[in-house]
Amino acid sequence: MQETLAQHGQRLALDPLWPEKATVGGVLSTNDSGALRLRFGALRDLIIGVTIALPDGTLASSGGKVVKNVAGYDLPKLVTGALGTLGVITRAVFRLHPLPLNSLSFRVSTANAEQTQRFFLAVQDSKLAHTSVQSHFSNENPPVSDILFEGTEAGLAAQETQLRNLAAPGSVSEASASTWTAREKHWAFSDPASTAIAKISDLPTNMARTMELVARAASAHQLRWRALMYATGIGWLRLEGKPEALRGALQMLRDDLEGKDGSLVVLHRPDKMSAFDAWGTAGDALPLMNAVKKQLDPKNTLNPGRFVGGI
């Protein structure tokens, strides 16, 4: 799809995992997005129309071909991230954006998580016209952050000058475009029996505290770890160690994050790790979610038990 759109100078401003393998329906059902979400929004901001097949064979459509069409039941947003529990997506209409004339990525090195967060927030509060920002943390190396600019050559040169002034005393170097696929490296593990992967979310202003919590939980359970955090407050965490130690660290992290209105969703865990709820606390939204499920799939046919709260 992106290759076809590019022939017309357009793109769907989305960077999911493994785009060469992903399907449109799969990306929608998992609500997958990457660092571009900072500038262009999440999938729910990009999808403006959808048709789904319900369990009884009925086709239900909502939305249209213009952004401001708000008539009818808002199915596009409902099915995005529903993991196929509400219907099978057969058609999707997206809002598009033009391809950038040029793009340039930079890497900023910082001494610790606190300095990274200060840089992070300074960028967000500045007049920089950045497209994406992400930060890398681990138990092995000091943190580094990546920032992406898109635009004209003159515009990029001006952005670089502002960035270097803003990043001081951190060092700034040009980064490869491949740095924006860093999330995929979290899934490149040779021993799934000793690896857990989680999606975490917290306020961007809590990033340093969250990374300190991860480091403390990993150390207490003798685990290796690395994390990738986006400017939106969404992050990806990889833990390595013994299965029960992984479980203990995940529970410790979830308790703390949920206590501060954050979340932790487990995307992969070892088979030998004892049972652990993938989703965590559903909050007060679960009754409404169950009501929507009952309305669209009253016999609980589609992916039963797949989603939060056993939906």
Side-chain angles (χ1 to χ4, degrees):
M1 180 180 65
Q2 297 284 36
E3 290 172 357
T4 301
L5 291 172
Q7 296 173 16
H8 303 276
Q10 299 290 312
R11 63 173 168 172
L12 175 58
L14 184 73
D15 47 351
L17 272 170
W18 307 298
E20 69 281 359
K21 299 179 181 179
T23 65
V24 173
V27 172
L28 280 170
S29 292
T30 56
N31 192 25
D32 189 20
S33 60
L36 287 179
R37 180 172 179 160
L38 176 67
R39 180 68 177 271
F40 300 104
L43 259 175
R44 289 187 176 94
D45 303 299
L46 297 174
I47 185 170
I48 57 176
V50 74
T51 298
I52 63 172
L54 300 176
D56 63 359
T58 303
L59 290 179
S61 295
S62 178
K65 295 184 178 181
V66 294
V67 174
K68 292 186 178 180
N69 187 326
V70 293
Y73 200 39
D74 199 350
L75 286 177
K77 290 182 173 59
L78 274 180
V79 299
T80 301
L83 294 180
T85 58
L86 300 179
V88 178
I89 299 169
T90 65
R91 178 190 69 104
V93 181
F94 294 101
R95 176 186 180 184
L96 301 180
H97 290 82
L99 283 171
L101 296 175
N102 303 280
S103 63
L104 197 56
S105 298
F106 294 95
R107 173 155 290 189
V108 179
S109 300
T110 47
N112 50 50
E114 290 79 10
Q115 191 179 85
T116 302
Q117 179 169 301
R118 286 196 296 271
F119 165 73
F120 208 79
L121 297 178
V123 167
Q124 291 293 80
D125 289 338
S126 73
K127 294 183 179 180
L128 287 171
H130 51 288
T131 299
S132 304
V133 183
Q134 65 183 17
S135 298
H136 309 253
F137 301 88
S138 76
N139 62 295
E140 297 178 342
N141 301 302
V144 294
S145 298
D146 303 318
I147 183 166
L148 172 66
F149 297 106
E150 297 177 332
T152 64
E153 290 186 6
L156 293 180
Q159 296 288 314
E160 179 180 355
T161 299
Q162 293 182 52
L163 174 66
R164 291 185 181 277
N165 293 333
L166 191 67
S171 64
V172 180
S173 59
E174 193 167 328
S176 167
S178 63
T179 189
W180 300 105
T181 62
R183 185 164 50 125
E184 296 178 6
K185 296 179 181 178
H186 282 241
W187 290 89
F189 46 82
S190 57
D191 186 11
S194 62
T195 305
I197 298 176
K199 180 180 180 179
I200 58 178
S201 67
D202 202 356
L203 291 174
T205 51
N206 291 339
M207 182 175 63
R209 188 198 68 83
T210 299
M211 290 300 98
E212 290 168 1
L213 171 67
V214 170
R216 191 162 60 248
S219 177
H221 294 86
Q222 299 181 322
L223 302 174
R224 299 179 301 279
W225 68 277
R226 67 172 183 255
L228 179 70
M229 297 296 298
Y230 294 147
T232 52
I234 295 172
W236 311 90
L237 173 64
R238 169 172 164 161
L239 299 169
E240 298 178 48
K242 295 180 179 179
E244 288 312 300
L246 292 172
R247 191 187 191 287
L250 289 170
Q251 187 64 63
M252 178 178 173
L253 291 169
R254 174 175 282 167
D255 290 344
D256 187 276
L257 286 168
E258 289 189 347
K260 295 178 174 60
D261 296 323
S263 66
L264 182 146
V265 175
V266 179
L267 305 178
H268 170 82
R269 66 177 178 86
D271 292 337
K272 293 184 179 180
M273 192 179 107
S274 57
F276 189 81
D277 178 37
W279 299 101
T281 304
D284 57 7
L286 189 58
L288 179 58
M289 294 170 70
N290 276 317
V292 172
K293 171 70 170 177
K294 186 175 181 180
Q295 182 72 25
L296 297 179
D297 183 15
K299 295 183 180 180
N300 199 28
T301 302
L302 300 173
N303 280 354
R306 180 69 179 86
F307 201 21
V308 61
I311 293 178

